[in-house]
Every structure is written in C-alpha cells, then in structure tokens.
Amino acid sequence: MVLVFLDQAEGHIKKSSFEAACYGAKVAEQLGTVAEGIVLGNVSDDLATLGKYGLKKIHTVKNDGLNHLDAQVYANVLAQAVNTAGATVVVFSNNLSGKAVAPRLSAKLKAGLVSGAVALPDTSNGFVVKKNVFSGKAFANIAVNSAVKIIALNPNAYSITETAGAADVAELSVTVPAAKVSVTAVNKIVGEVPLSEAELVISGGRGLKGPENWGLVTDLAKLLGAATACSRAVADVHWRPHHEHVGQTGLAIAPNLYFAIAISGAIQHLAGVNRSKVIVVINKDPEAPFFKAADYGIVGDAFEVMPKIIDAVKKLKGA
Ligand SMILES: Cc1cc2nc3c(=O)[nH]c(=O)nc-3n(C[C@H](O)[C@H](O)[C@H](O)COP(=O)(O)OP(=O)(O)OC[C@H]3O[C@@H](n4cnc5c(N)ncnc54)[C@H](O)[C@@H]3O)c2cc1C
C-alpha cells in the first residue's frame, strides 16, 4: 500500500497534498496496489472527497496534540501508521512539513528517502526515483532498496487530476506521544497573501534602488492578489522583511507565476524559485542570468516598464 501524508493547516488540507495524493495513486497503480491517505489533527474538510485524487481510504488521527506540526510527534505517529496499515511506500509533499517530518520518519523506519523527487519512480528494475540536485542545476536518479520507501515530492512537479470516487474515512488507533516542545504563541502575518502557499508572487531586487520604490511591486501584487517577495540582497539591507527573502538561504517557493523585477537571477536566488510554473523577468541588462530561466522577459528599465504594466492591469481589471 502507498500511504500519502495529507498536510493540513488550520483544519484544511493543503493544495500540495492533492498533488502528493495524485502522485501516490499513480505510484500505487505502477506497483499494483492501492493508495491511502493519512491526516493528523482535527480537520473540517470533507475527507471522503479526497477519493477524487485516487485515494481509496483516508486514515485520521483526531487529536488536539496534532493540530500544529511537531515533527517529532508526527514522525512517531506516522511510523505507527506505516506499521499498522502496512505501507511500503510513503509519499510527502516536499514542503516545510514534508522536509521536517520525512527525514525523521526515514530514520525511525530505516527507510530510504528521496527528497525533492520530480518524477514517478522507475519500477521496471527496482525502485529508482529522479530528484533535483545542486539547487535544481542537475538531476540524480536514486535507487531505493529498503523495504519501506519514502518519497518527498517537489511542489509543482506532478499535475493534479481529478476522477470520480469517494474515499472511506476511518480513525486509526495509534498512541500520540507527549510533545517535548510546546507552542506558546503563534504570531501570524495578517493582511498579506502567505508567500509559501501563494499562486502568484511579485518579487523585487536591488535594481529597484530603495524601499521607497517598492510601490512598483506592492501595487501590482495588490491588483493581482499576489504575495510579495525579494532577493536576499534586498532583505539584507532591510528594504524588505526577511520573511520575504526567497532562494537557497530563504524560502523555496513554487507558485504558478513568479514575476521578478530588477533581480539578477543569481544561482542562489534561482534555487528558491526555479520550480515556479511561469517566470517573468524584467531587467535592463539583456545579459542578466535570470533571462535564461525566464518564460517571458522584458529587457527594460523597471521604472519605465512597471507603471505601464500596472496601468494595463488596472484597465483589464476595471480598477
Ligand atoms: C551562500 C549564499 C547564499 C545566498 N542565498 C541567496 C538567496 O537565498 N536568495 C537570494 O536572492 N540571493 C542569495 N544570495 C545572494 C546572491 O548571490 C545575489 O547576490 C543576490 O541574489 C543578488 O540580488 P539582486 O539580484 O537583487 O541584486 P543585484 O545582483 O545587484 O542585481 C540587480 C539587478 O537589477 C538589474 N537592474 C538594475 N537597475 C534596474 C532597472 N532600473 N530596471 C531593471 N533592472 C535593473 C541589474 O541589471 C541587475 O541584474 C546568496 C549568496 C551566497 C554566497
């Protein structure tokens, strides 16, 4: 059986989990078995509908101690679930929780883990999974030989398809261990689209010359309902807060649209954004490395181009 970890936030299953579910269902089909999901904590979503992503059954562990991600507790509960439900493959999304929990589960079960998978496993001769390496500059094919295999799938690496079907939902009997750490406060950024889950991201670089010019980024973001991001160079000089910094040492994101304004496209920046579906780059230097990664590029001065784009979007939206 293939077990898919369905990640939740505030009682709702995250979109990245739908992708993991479809991927898990396809892996199960390849192996001639079924895919099932597991949800930890209390959720308000109708879990039976997750059957449309190919899951036959959803195991739930309703427990207040699981409402917030605690990687040690989650790994402990999932290890019990793998043994009880008899899973041979476990699929995570390679998002923040997947990155925290999958390695711990791997250590507990002595299971081989491929994190950052980008394709279905090749099961023609063993179990070989393709993954990104060197910040997305190359691929590696990893053969997993352990009895239980764990895959953490990169967001946006597999498309979501829906079919007819409802999943059975059943509570799984496991012991939830006491947490070794407790959450004393959660300070949420309010009034902004959260960057890690955003479908659209407008991002600015050092070429914007100063925080006083950030209206060019935030105006377009507001019009499109997008999140805002920036390069590390910008966060380092405090033009923007550090939680907006994307890249190798910042947040890795995978939106449908990444709109980069006056960012050079250094490899460390690309490492955090190259999984975006569509990349648009505006840079006055035609040799800027970002153009090599761009789907659409405008060679031009952001201070001339951006007001025109903002006006055009306003007209389109009737704003
Ligand atoms: C170990 C390590 C980790 C790092 N991690 C990260 C990371 O996580 N994220 C990250 O972003 N960086 C990271 N960096 C830094 C990275 O190498 C770059 O220095 C940084 O990304 C540059 O930011 P930038 O493109 O905004 O600035 P710059 O390199 O200064 O580029 C500015 C760009 O704006 C263009 N420009 C200037 N004026 C205009 C204009 N008027 N209109 C249009 N275009 C204009 C220029 O042509 C240029 O391409 C890391 C570096 C190291 C060594």
Side-chain angles (χ1 to χ4, degrees):
M1 186 264 280
V2 174
L3 186 66
V4 180
F5 171 68
L6 300 162
D7 200 6
Q8 59 113 346
E10 297 179 349
H12 300 291
I13 305 294
K14 291 188 189 171
K15 189 195 135 204
S16 51
S17 296
F18 305 152
E19 221 179 308
C22 292
Y23 178 90
K26 194 69 192 172
V27 175
E29 191 186 308
Q30 277 179 225
L31 298 173
T33 181
V34 292
E36 301 179 358
I38 181 159
V39 178
L40 305 186
N42 300 307
V43 290
S44 48
D45 291 352
D46 178 4
L47 297 176
T49 62
L50 297 173
K52 67 183 174 199
Y53 302 115
L55 301 177
K56 295 283 174 245
K57 185 172 181 181
I58 309 294
H59 302 274
T60 56
V61 185
K62 290 184 192 141
N63 184 300
D64 287 345
L66 297 170
N67 286 346
H68 293 290
L69 171 70
D70 179 320
Q72 287 176 327
V73 175
Y74 271 37
N76 183 308
V77 169
L78 287 175
Q80 296 175 58
V82 167
N83 291 329
T84 312
T88 52
V89 178
V90 186
V91 176
F92 288 85
S93 175
N94 197 33
N95 55 13
L96 286 178
S97 34
K99 282 177 187 165
V101 182
R104 288 180 164 90
L105 182 65
S106 157
K108 274 190 185 300
L109 297 174
K110 301 204 177 352
L113 160 68
V114 181
S115 61
V118 293
L120 286 164
D122 179 353
T123 49
S124 58
N125 183 17
F127 194 94
V128 178
V129 188
K130 186 176 179 182
K131 67 167 277 178
N132 267 339
V133 287
F134 300 123
S135 301
K137 275 279 172 197
F139 296 113
N141 291 313
I142 310 290
V144 190
N145 302 318
S146 50
V148 176
K149 300 161 177 65
I150 304 177
I151 303 174
L153 174 71
N154 264 355
N156 269 350
Y158 195 75
S159 30
I160 298 172
T161 43
E162 294 184 14
T163 52
D168 294 333
V169 181
E171 181 73 10
L172 191 72
S173 170
V174 291
T175 312
V176 179
K180 294 192 180 118
V181 291
S182 59
V183 179
T184 52
V186 177
N187 295 322
K188 280 198 219 147
I189 298 158
V190 286
E192 286 175 32
V193 181
L195 184 54
S196 54
E197 292 284 314
E199 303 277 356
L200 309 173
V201 176
I202 315 295
S203 186
R206 190 153 51 184
L208 283 178
K209 299 192 170 46
E212 65 281 6
N213 297 321
W214 236 258
L216 296 176
V217 175
T218 52
D219 285 358
L220 183 61
K222 267 191 203 122
L223 280 168
L224 296 175
T228 51
C230 68
S231 68
R232 175 169 157 176
V234 162
D236 280 350
V237 291
H238 308 297
W239 292 355
R240 297 297 292 176
H242 260 292
H243 67 253
E244 285 198 358
H245 149 206
V246 289
Q248 188 183 317
T249 46
L251 206 58
I253 54 172
N256 286 333
L257 172 73
Y258 184 70
F259 197 106
I261 308 163
I263 303 176
S264 58
I267 179 157
Q268 297 90 355
H269 185 83
L270 289 177
V273 302
N274 58 9
R275 287 185 285 111
S276 310
K277 265 198 189 135
V278 174
I279 296 179
V280 178
V281 169
I282 299 178
N283 198 301
K284 68 176 184 185
D285 174 9
E287 301 297 324
F290 223 149
F291 284 121
K292 290 205 180 87
D295 298 281
Y296 300 95
I298 299 174
V299 179
D301 186 331
F303 295 95
E304 289 170 19
V305 175
M306 283 309 295
K308 288 181 185 153
I309 290 183
I310 290 167
D311 272 352
V313 174
K314 271 188 188 154
K315 272 188 200 129
L316 264 173
K317 298 237 162 203

